[in-house]
Amino acid sequence: MHFKVEGNVLDSEYNIKDGDAAFLEKGTAIFELIGYPNWEVVAVVDLFGVNGYRIFVEQNKQFNFGQPAEEKVKKVQIAEVDQQGKEVIADLSWGSASFFMSVLNRSVQSDSFIPSRVLGHSKSYQLLLDTGEVIGYKSYIYFDGDHYYTQEGNPVLLPNENAYYFTGERDIIFRTNEMEFTVPGNAVTVASGEKIKRDGSSDNITLVSKDSSKERSLLSTVEIDNLWERIRKEKPGSGEAKTLLYAASRPTPVNNGHLIAFESNKNTIMDTKNYFDVLLIDLDGKGEKVLIPGSKYGYSMILDAFGDRLIASTEKRSLLDVNVQSGVIREYSINAYLVALSNDGRYVLYRNMENDAMVGNELWAFDLEKVQKIPLGQVPQDFIYNKGIK
């Protein structure tokens, strides 16, 4: 750059020439981007930019760089932004990233929308969208206490399902009959202060340090690699016939974050009768043991946990109330699709299933202390859990 216009030109009739910079300092290095040889897109070093760079696009080419199609997005990073900086709260990849984009694309423009002041000012969240190409995409989402919205031009309201991605651990997002429910499986912080990495992978349990600079795996990568090799040799297949390893699905902190519960078929995948167990492991990757045996309960799916209590559902739609310390399992046959656990760990929100097609329009709660069903009526049309999450 030969000349900086800002602060140096007062003549409103001045015509910008090649070599002029609107905001950059004289001498700023300009970098060409791979795939954009005509300099229609360039990069400059920016300490505050994503990955240390800022991208500039020719004005008449900017329409080519709108939000990418959902099927092209490979990764999504969500970070809460405030005066202290930003904190990454979610890393989504592949199917999880695509699902997030599909939710985002159901947004509705609302020219009359005015943000509420219930929080004083709206919370800000930065989205980074990675398509695997040389250029990524950055945008912002805001929350005013009632609605999630974007403010690029006219206000755009986001669907309720976005609450899944932006709430903190055990934040309340649904209230009914004096019961308050949180995002299922949203707790990721363990006793060491590390966080469980949620990127859609089921090959291992990855813990990320507080400052996000380090990662470590709890399960032996050598053992997992050896098991994959055995599967390829002993159980070859393709398509639906292919044997799949889910070494660690839905890792969930329990026992106040000192242990992690997870679903796995790694100990049984080579057996004739293959099933999933729910296992426990400590933060050193040791002391692994079976918490819910698949041989007895079939495939159990973890819903959520609170303290020493873990809630799961079975293939038969029963509710399992498990004490991770004593190992005691209480099973309740309520024919339910479990939805969420209350913020105090006492109530389980569920849909009452009407038939084998997994159809249920009635909302219920189960009181784990009184062992009592509580009818809540029809599922609200704008129910936060209507679409589910992947």
Side-chain angles (χ1 to χ4, degrees):
M1 284 294 136
H2 308 303
F3 181 72
K4 180 181 178 183
V5 176
E6 184 186 44
N8 293 305
V9 175
L10 301 179
D11 184 359
S12 61
E13 302 296 324
Y14 179 80
N15 293 317
I16 296 177
K17 306 185 297 293
D18 286 346
D20 287 352
F23 304 105
L24 302 176
E25 296 294 340
K26 178 180 178 180
T28 299
I30 307 295
F31 297 92
E32 178 184 350
L33 270 67
I34 297 174
Y36 299 92
N38 297 323
W39 295 86
E40 61 191 33
V41 182
V42 297
V44 299
V45 174
D46 183 351
L47 297 179
F48 299 100
V50 179
N51 293 330
Y53 290 91
R54 180 184 294 186
I55 302 296
F56 290 88
V57 183
E58 281 188 13
Q59 187 170 4
N60 63 342
K61 299 288 185 179
Q62 290 180 1
F63 65 89
N64 294 328
F65 294 90
Q67 181 174 292
E70 60 187 65
E71 65 272 10
K72 290 187 176 182
V73 176
K74 303 296 188 295
K75 295 181 180 179
V76 175
Q77 184 185 88
I78 305 173
E80 184 171 354
V81 182
D82 57 26
Q83 293 180 343
Q84 281 69 49
K86 69 177 185 178
E87 178 184 2
V88 175
I89 59 176
D91 277 304
L92 310 173
S93 62
W94 300 105
S96 297
S98 296
F99 189 86
F100 171 81
M101 294 302 298
S102 71
V103 173
L104 202 62
N105 287 336
R106 292 200 297 273
S107 303
V108 178
Q109 183 171 317
S110 177
D111 297 340
S112 62
F113 171 70
I114 299 176
S116 166
R117 296 300 176 190
V118 66
L119 298 178
H121 59 84
S122 295
K123 290 185 177 181
S124 300
Y125 300 91
Q126 182 189 79
L127 300 186
L128 298 182
L129 310 180
D130 183 357
T131 63
E133 299 175 355
V134 67
I135 293 179
Y137 298 80
K138 179 174 72 173
S139 60
Y140 289 88
I141 285 177
Y142 306 95
F143 179 59
D144 66 356
D146 295 317
H147 300 92
Y148 290 90
Y149 64 97
T150 62
Q151 195 76 56
E152 297 175 3
N154 294 325
V156 174
L157 296 180
L158 277 58
N160 282 342
E161 295 94 297
N162 277 273
Y164 274 103
Y165 299 99
F166 299 99
T167 51
E169 297 184 41
R170 305 217 69 80
D171 278 357
I172 297 164
I173 63 168
F174 183 74
R175 294 176 172 86
T176 179
N177 291 35
E178 299 183 351
M179 293 174 282
E180 299 176 321
F181 295 93
T182 63
V183 177
N186 204 41
V188 293
T189 303
V190 296
S192 62
E194 298 166 294
K195 292 190 175 182
I196 299 172
K197 186 175 183 179
R198 295 290 176 87
D199 60 355
S201 170
S202 60
D203 289 336
N204 215 312
I205 300 174
T206 303
L207 296 183
V208 184
S209 62
K210 292 181 181 179
D211 60 3
S212 301
S213 64
K214 297 179 181 178
E215 295 183 0
R216 65 185 180 98
S217 299
L218 288 189
L219 305 181
S220 167
T221 54
V222 174
E223 290 180 8
I224 299 299
D225 289 343
N226 289 341
L227 184 53
W228 266 119
E229 187 62 28
R230 280 190 62 196
I231 293 170
R232 281 188 283 267
K233 289 181 178 178
E234 299 179 30
K235 295 199 173 188
S238 61
E240 293 183 0
K242 188 179 180 71
T243 301
L244 296 177
L245 169 64
Y246 298 92
S249 297
R250 293 187 182 85
T252 304
V254 293
N255 186 227
N256 297 315
H258 290 91
L259 300 169
I260 295 175
F262 61 100
E263 302 164 16
S264 180
N265 64 351
K266 68 185 183 68
N267 295 332
T268 61
I269 196 167
M270 306 307 294
D271 293 348
T272 303
K273 293 184 178 180
N274 177 231
Y275 50 79
F276 280 75
D277 296 316
V278 172
L279 305 175
L280 274 182
I281 195 170
D282 64 26
L283 302 186
D284 293 325
K286 301 175 181 177
E288 182 183 304
K289 66 178 182 179
V290 176
L291 180 64
I292 305 176
S295 57
K296 180 176 181 180
Y297 295 98
Y299 179 22
S300 298
M301 185 180 296
I302 297 172
L303 174 71
D304 209 343
F306 182 83
D308 285 335
R309 167 170 276 162
L310 178 80
I311 301 299
S313 60
T314 71
E315 292 178 355
K316 298 179 180 179
R317 302 179 196 162
S318 296
L319 184 158
L320 299 183
D321 180 12
V322 187
N323 186 307
V324 299
Q325 285 283 57
S326 65
V328 172
I329 300 176
R330 293 183 173 86
E331 182 176 8
Y332 303 105
S333 300
I334 58 175
N335 196 39
Y337 176 78
L338 306 189
V339 175
L341 182 66
S342 64
N343 69 319
D344 58 2
R346 174 173 175 173
Y347 302 97
V348 178
L349 189 68
Y350 70 94
R351 287 180 189 259
N352 187 46
M353 292 293 100
E354 299 168 359
N355 54 47
D356 291 337
M358 294 293 285
V359 176
N361 294 320
E362 292 182 1
L363 202 60
W364 291 66
F366 190 83
D367 188 333
L368 295 166
E369 291 187 12
K370 293 184 177 181
V371 189
Q372 175 181 318
K373 299 178 184 179
I374 305 171
L376 300 175
Q378 293 292 299
V379 176
Q381 186 175 2
D382 61 348
F383 185 45
I384 188 74
Y385 301 101
N386 262 343
K387 300 298 180 181
I389 217 69
K390 295 180 180 179

